[in-house]
Amino acid sequence: MGYQTLQDPQFAGLKNYDSQALLGQLPTPAYVIDEERLRENGQVLAALAERTGCRVLLAQKAFSNYDFYPLLAPYLAGTEASGLYEARLGKEEMPGKEVHVFCGAYRADEFEELLQYADHIVFNSIHQLKAFGPQGKQAGKSLGLRINPQCSTQEGHAIYDPCAPGSRMGVTRDVWDKEMDEATLALLDGLHFHTLCEQNSDDLKTTLAAVEEKFGDILPRMKWLNMGGGHHITRPDYDLNTLEVCIRHAQQAWGVTVYLEPGEAVALNAGYFVSRVLDIVENSGTKIAILDASAACHMPDVLEMPYQPPILGADTEAGEGYPFRLAGPTCLAGDVVGDYSFARELHVGDLVLFGDMAIYTTCKNNTFNGMPLPDIWKLDRAGNLTRLTQFGYPDFKMRLGR
Ligand SMILES: *Cc1c(COP(=O)(O)O)cnc(C)c1O
């Protein structure tokens, strides 16, 4: 791998700066969202939409820092939500744009309110479509059903494979054939599939072929096809051409409007997480740097996915340099970010800068162990840093009681 540098995509947004001087002024830990990198991602997505006529939504579960919605809105058709609150956020903070929602199961006591926010509603089962669809149709909504093409294309992360046997995600063709009837089918405007995670377009092509094989007879009756998220469109090695072939195939073969709802791709490599070394301890020859940041609290995907995040000036593999294990200050023994090789010796007080930290972080963190929520800062095009949040003790306490 080698040491991460400002030439690597995760840190390239900082290449015009002295990153230590720029980010060293922040109280740590802190998330920094890079406006210029968001803009660049937005431009790639908008150009794709322009060339193909597809419509691109922001999947808010990956990135929902709404201070940046006005910046992103011109590049996107709207937002995608996982339920009531995200739908409301999309409606409020990206006004005038489409709001799509997919939820594993809707609640009867929330559905009425959801209709105020969402214009496209995707169901996960035929029962839910039957239960809520007529009400949605009456309110003028466009209705969809999530299908499961039973085509696993990812090996690495079983937790992110909705096509695994026994998955609750989407309707398989055998269930469709058992439960679907003509009146229910008449409620449907679109089909939705979401099966990818950080994948390239070759896997979309494989998946689309499975969708065609299983649901090709239904698709000509639909107005739209939503191909979900997990498309790593803004990654440097992403094959846009194959994606475009897939989109055009769907448009031409079935006459559908194609939606994509990436989360990661919108904010990929558009954020940093800034922390400092609080202490260095040693055990059985391993040097462990304890940070003021926690994997469990501030980068939960490091433990959940799991993955090892990139650090500027460090290698994620054992190398020639100074080996350090990085860990959080919490009492969870497994609160370990990973083992790195650093270009320089680490000392107490040193800045440790993580890359690609805009996604699945600020929207997923927690205050376990009474850990403070790191503040969120905006880095603008001119190199100015603006604080967007001011978290403190009240944010910890308010979730626990009166
Ligand atoms: C998670 C999710 C997305 C976004 O996925 P990314 O991997 O962040 O692109 C889109 N649609 C649905 C239904 C999802 O669950």
Side-chain angles (χ1 to χ4, degrees):
M1 279 284 292
Y3 302 122
Q4 294 282 317
T5 71
L6 296 178
Q7 307 309 315
D8 288 303
Q10 295 92 339
F11 300 100
L14 297 171
K15 67 176 180 290
N16 297 324
Y17 305 105
D18 175 342
S19 58
Q20 293 280 323
L22 180 74
L23 302 176
Q25 54 179 305
L26 299 178
T28 58
Y31 300 107
V32 177
I33 312 286
D34 185 333
E35 251 188 8
E36 194 56 20
R37 293 309 309 263
L38 278 181
R39 199 173 278 121
E40 286 167 16
N41 288 343
Q43 285 163 353
V44 171
L45 298 169
L48 169 74
E50 177 79 15
R51 284 195 302 276
T52 61
C54 81
R55 302 179 69 76
V56 183
L57 310 167
L58 163 67
Q60 295 178 97
K61 81 165 193 277
F63 180 80
S64 36
N65 296 109
Y66 51 86
D67 288 285
F68 300 92
Y69 285 12
L71 179 151
L72 289 171
Y75 304 115
L76 299 172
T79 55
E80 187 265 346
S82 318
L84 183 68
Y85 287 177
E86 284 186 355
R88 180 174 173 178
L89 190 70
K91 178 78 172 178
E92 287 178 356
E93 300 296 334
M94 217 184 268
K97 295 277 180 171
E98 294 181 33
V99 178
H100 293 230
V101 60
F102 164 77
C103 186
Y106 296 100
R107 299 169 58 109
D109 59 356
E110 285 181 359
F111 199 75
E112 183 85 34
E113 188 186 350
L114 186 67
L115 295 175
Q116 290 176 36
Y117 313 129
D119 41 71
H120 287 66
I121 301 175
V122 178
F123 296 94
N124 188 51
S125 75
I126 294 172
H127 330 120
Q128 283 233 315
L129 172 61
K130 285 179 181 167
F132 297 110
Q135 196 186 343
K137 261 275 103 86
Q138 213 153 46
K141 306 301 173 180
S142 195
L143 304 185
L145 185 64
R146 179 163 173 171
I147 54 169
N148 185 330
Q150 296 174 285
C151 172
S152 292
T153 52
Q154 40 180 318
E155 290 123 45
H157 305 290
I159 185 178
Y160 297 126
D161 182 7
C163 289
S167 165
R168 71 189 181 289
M169 303 312 226
V171 177
T172 57
R173 184 64 205 227
D174 61 324
V175 169
W176 177 293
D177 287 340
K178 261 186 272 172
E179 297 182 7
M180 188 57 88
D181 55 63
E182 197 51 43
T184 307
L185 182 55
L187 293 168
L188 271 188
D189 300 289
L191 295 184
H192 175 289
F193 67 86
H194 169 70
T195 68
L196 306 180
C197 175
E198 301 191 338
Q199 279 162 283
N200 213 318
S201 45
D202 52 340
D203 290 328
L204 173 62
K205 193 173 164 203
T206 304
T207 302
L208 193 60
V211 167
E212 179 156 17
E213 188 206 316
K214 295 226 154 72
F215 294 94
D217 58 326
I218 312 291
L219 279 160
R221 298 183 57 172
M222 296 292 118
K223 296 193 184 77
W224 49 265
L225 175 63
N226 186 325
M227 300 188 185
H231 316 280
H232 242 189
I233 299 168
T234 50
R235 197 172 75 194
D237 70 344
Y238 188 85
D239 174 7
L240 271 169
N241 190 51
T242 298
L243 171 62
E244 291 178 24
V245 168
C246 291
I247 293 169
R248 291 206 175 88
H249 174 69
Q251 290 167 331
Q252 285 158 14
W254 309 309
V256 288
T257 297
V258 171
Y259 284 97
L260 301 176
E261 47 183 31
E264 292 216 2
V266 176
L268 194 69
N269 297 324
Y272 317 101
F273 186 42
V274 193
S275 65
R276 285 186 189 280
V277 178
L278 294 179
D279 195 13
I280 293 176
V281 298
E282 207 173 315
N283 185 327
S284 315
T286 302
K287 282 188 178 171
I288 306 134
I290 304 180
L291 304 176
D292 59 7
S294 155
C297 300
H298 305 144
M299 315 172 247
D301 273 1
V302 164
L303 303 183
E304 198 172 293
M305 194 171 188
Y307 82 107
Q308 191 172 343
I311 293 175
L312 187 64
D315 191 339
T316 50
E317 288 163 17
E320 303 282 277
Y322 299 88
F324 281 93
R325 174 168 297 173
L326 298 194
T330 68
C331 64
L332 173 70
D335 190 359
V336 171
V337 186
D339 291 338
Y340 294 83
S341 172
F342 278 78
R344 290 200 203 92
E345 178 91 56
L346 272 187
H347 301 283
V348 169
D350 281 355
L351 213 61
V352 171
L353 186 56
F354 293 94
D356 195 19
M357 280 287 158
I359 47 180
Y360 295 104
T361 50
T362 52
C363 52
K364 207 173 171 179
N365 58 13
N366 62 76
T367 57
F368 177 52
N369 267 240
M371 284 294 287
L373 294 174
D375 275 319
I376 304 168
W377 294 71
K378 171 176 83 174
L379 174 64
D380 73 14
R381 181 180 244 176
N384 301 308
L385 286 162
T386 311
R387 187 200 287 264
L388 300 176
T389 64
Q390 195 122 35
F391 296 125
Y393 178 64
D395 301 288
F396 162 65
K397 190 177 177 192
M398 57 83 95
R399 298 171 59 235
L400 299 168
R402 133 193 89 72

